[in-house]
Amino acid sequence: MLLHYGPQLVNLLAAILLLLAFAMLSQRRILSLINLFAAQGFVLFLSTMLVAWLTGQNHLYGSAALTLALKVIALPWILHRLIRRLEVKWDVETLLNIPSVMLVGIVLVILAFNLALPISQLAGTVTRSTLGIALACVLLSFLMMITRSKAVPQVIGFLAMENGLFFAATSAVYGMPMVVEFGVALDVLVGALILGIFLFQIRERFDSVDTRHLEKLKEQ
C-alpha cells in the first residue's frame, strides 16, 4: 500500500517544502525563520528516507542521516546560539515589501517549473516530477537572500538554498555520491561558523548586523 502511494507521498513532501520556502520568504521574525529552516530540513530528511525506501538506493539513508544531524539539529542550534549572542530577535527588514516579494516569488516558481519541464521529461527517476519544486525552492531562497538587509536572514537564505540544491539532486539522479555529500556538508558547516564570526565582526564595528553598513568601508 505504502509502496503504491510512495510517489504521491514524495510529491506531498515536495509541496510542503515549497510552502515552507514561501513561509520563510514572508517571515519577519528571526526565531521563526530559524524554526522554519529546521522544519524544511526535517521535511527534506523525510523525503530522502522515503526515496531511499522506494528505490533501494541505500546510500540515501546516509544522506538522510546527515541531513537530520546537520540541518535539523546542528545548524539550527548554531543559529539559535548566534542570535542569542548577538541579541537579534527583532523583526527582519526587507528591501521590498512582503506582498511584492511574494509576487516575485510566484513568478520565480512559474519560471522554475518551465525550466525544469524538459529536464524532468529526460529524467528516469520516480521523483522527476519534483524537480520543478526543487528548482523553485532554490530560486525562492536566493530571493530571500537578496531582499533582506540583515546578515542573519541572508545566512539562512544561503543555507536554505543548499537544501533546494540537495533536493534537486535527489529528484534528478537520486542524490550525489557520499564523498561529495560529506564534502558539501562540511563546507556548509564551516561556512556557517565563518559567517558567525563575520557577523560578530560586523556587530563590533557598526553596532548592527545590517550589511548595508559595509558600504561605509568604501569611503575609508
Side-chain angles (χ1 to χ4, degrees), residues 13 28 30-31 44 63 66 69 109 118 136 147 159 168 199 210 214:
L13 291 173
R28 293 182 178 272
I30 291 289
L31 286 174
L44 187 61
S63 301
L66 188 62
V109 170
T147 56
L159 297 173
L199 293 180
D210 192 329
L214 295 177

Side-chain angles (χ1 to χ4, degrees), residues 5-15 47 50-51 54 127 130 167:
Y5 291 105
Q8 286 81 359
L9 290 176
V10 173
N11 291 336
L12 175 61
L13 291 173
S47 67
L50 183 57
V51 172
L54 290 173
T127 54
T130 62
F167 188 61

Side-chain angles (χ1 to χ4, degrees), residues 72-86:
V72 182
I73 299 174
L75 287 175
W77 180 77
I78 291 172
L79 290 170
H80 275 294
R81 283 185 57 87
L82 182 63
I83 64 170
R84 281 198 299 268
R85 293 286 300 275
L86 292 173

Side-chain angles (χ1 to χ4, degrees), residues 57-69:
Q57 302 287 330
N58 293 327
H59 72 278
L60 287 177
Y61 289 112
S63 301
L66 188 62
T67 299
L68 180 65

Side-chain angles (χ1 to χ4, degrees), residues 34-56:
I34 296 175
N35 292 334
L36 286 170
F37 169 72
Q40 191 181 56
F42 185 70
V43 174
L44 187 61
F45 159 74
L46 291 178
S47 67
T48 307
M49 287 287 291
L50 183 57
V51 172
W53 183 75
L54 290 173
T55 62

Side-chain angles (χ1 to χ4, degrees), residues 30-152:
I30 291 289
L31 286 174
S32 300
L33 195 58
I34 296 175
N35 292 334
L36 286 170
F37 169 72
Q40 191 181 56
F42 185 70
V43 174
L44 187 61
F45 159 74
L46 291 178
S47 67
T48 307
M49 287 287 291
L50 183 57
V51 172
W53 183 75
L54 290 173
T55 62
Q57 302 287 330
N58 293 327
H59 72 278
L60 287 177
Y61 289 112
S63 301
L66 188 62
T67 299
L68 180 65
L70 182 64
K71 299 175 183 178
V72 182
I73 299 174
L75 287 175
W77 180 77
I78 291 172
L79 290 170
H80 275 294
R81 283 185 57 87
L82 182 63
I83 64 170
R84 281 198 299 268
R85 293 286 300 275
L86 292 173
E87 298 179 354
V88 286
K89 298 180 181 179
W90 22 248
D91 290 347
V92 179
E93 296 181 10
T94 58
L95 301 179
L96 297 174
N97 59 64
I98 295 299
S100 299
V101 172
M102 297 299 286
L103 286 175
V104 175
I106 293 172
V107 172
L108 289 177
V109 170
I110 296 173
L111 177 64
F113 274 89
N114 282 279
L115 289 175
L117 183 59
I119 305 174
S120 300
Q121 292 174 345
L122 294 175
T125 60
V126 297
T127 54
R128 61 185 181 181
S129 59
T130 62
L131 187 58
I133 293 179
L135 182 56
C137 290
V138 173
L139 294 178
L140 290 175
S141 300
F142 182 71
L143 178 63
M144 185 175 73
M145 285 182 62
I146 64 177
T147 56
R148 296 298 193 270
S149 60
K150 302 296 184 181
V152 177

